[in-house]
Amino acid sequence: MKRLVLLWHFAEHGCAFLREGGNHTLFINRPAKKVSTITRHNEINRDLARKICKDLQVPRPPES
């Protein structure tokens, strides 16, 4: 799945950009008090995207 599609999915579900790391971007779900990292690759594995969504407590990403 494309990284931008996943980032838009997070924004739609209340997650926000926290900061940039060395090779990752950190996103936070403030209501759930959860933080997760997203790699800076153009393509993100479907299983990894699902795990990140689970970590942030948002619904599964769209299948695209």
Side-chain angles (χ1 to χ4, degrees):
M1 118 175 305
K2 294 284 184 187
R3 182 176 189 267
L4 286 177
V5 172
L6 189 59
L7 297 182
W8 288 331
H9 177 73
F10 294 149
E12 289 174 353
H13 294 286
C15 296
F17 168 82
L18 183 60
R19 67 180 177 90
E20 293 284 340
N23 295 318
H24 296 80
T25 302
L26 275 75
F27 269 79
I28 186 169
N29 183 346
R30 292 190 195 280
K33 298 181 181 170
K34 300 291 182 182
V35 177
S36 188
T37 58
I38 297 109
T39 62
R40 280 195 234 139
H41 297 285
N42 288 333
E43 286 288 329
I44 296 177
N45 184 328
R46 183 192 60 191
D47 295 329
L48 178 59
R50 287 181 180 173
K51 187 208 180 289
I52 294 168
C53 288
K54 185 177 177 181
D55 290 345
L56 290 172
Q57 294 183 348
V58 296
R60 284 179 147 189
E63 297 295 326
S64 52

